[in-house]
Amino acid sequence: MSRRILLVNGPNLNLLGTREPEIYGEETLADVEVLVSRVAGDFGLDVRAVQSNHEGALIDAIHAAREDCSAIVINPGAFTHTSIALRDALAGVALPVAEVHISNVHARESFRHRSYVSGIAACVVVGCGVQGYEFAVRRLAALIAG
Ligand code: DQA
């Protein structure tokens, strides 16, 4: 079995650290990727990190995970609330998925309350800041270990 996790960040998450810091905090995407790699490393897992503002590029990265990854951590950004195609891609590769949202989407606008991804996710981490990515990795590591 592959010892790799795919970390996927969707649209606008490249702006972490400067984007609405009162909502998303001051840590950058690079900080998130370092955190995820460090925590994964504690479980003997390595990480491929992908960020894109383009739905198709995210879907291609998810498909590629079939070859060499055993789980996916994804913050789909706004595509969470809009993209059946992203959900279908995640369901199609049949790897355990941890869905992460930095902010508490349920305490925000009603259009953020629906997620197309949650129904196929192994776990959902919401409103824990960037620490949510760490929780997601820990949970996936446990699932992979069986
Ligand atoms: C987000 C929440 C989404 O509603 C939003 O569109 C994002 C970030 C989060 O991490 O809290 O881009 O996924």
Side-chain angles (χ1 to χ4, degrees):
M1 198 205 28
S2 161
R3 301 296 298 168
R4 180 170 299 125
I5 286 179
L6 178 67
L7 169 64
V8 181
N9 278 288
N12 302 307
L13 291 162
N14 55 313
L15 301 181
L16 269 184
T18 56
R19 168 197 189 198
E20 301 179 272
E22 67 286 0
I23 297 174
Y24 298 112
E26 297 191 345
E27 281 155 296
T28 65
L29 181 61
D31 294 333
V32 168
E33 291 175 356
V34 167
L35 170 68
V36 167
S37 291
R38 182 175 57 71
V39 177
D42 290 344
F43 293 94
L45 298 164
D46 68 38
V47 176
R48 179 159 67 240
V50 173
Q51 188 280 327
S52 179
N53 297 318
H54 304 277
E55 191 174 12
L58 296 170
I59 291 167
D60 289 344
I62 290 164
H63 290 179
R66 265 184 315 182
E67 307 302 323
D68 60 0
C69 296
S70 50
I72 299 175
V73 175
I74 184 166
N75 182 344
F79 289 146
T80 307
H81 319 299
T82 63
S83 180
I84 297 168
L86 201 59
R87 175 200 172 105
D88 285 351
L90 291 164
V93 298
L95 296 171
V97 172
E99 176 185 355
V100 175
H101 299 288
I102 296 166
S103 66
N104 179 0
V105 286
H106 301 293
R108 299 180 64 195
E109 303 95 327
S110 58
F111 60 79
R112 297 186 201 276
H113 297 178
R114 178 183 68 180
S115 168
Y116 281 113
V117 172
S118 296
I120 55 83
C123 69
V124 182
V125 186
V126 168
C128 297
V130 299
Q131 199 182 6
Y133 290 92
E134 172 178 347
F135 299 151
V137 172
R138 290 186 183 282
R139 179 65 182 151
L140 289 178
L143 287 177
I144 293 167

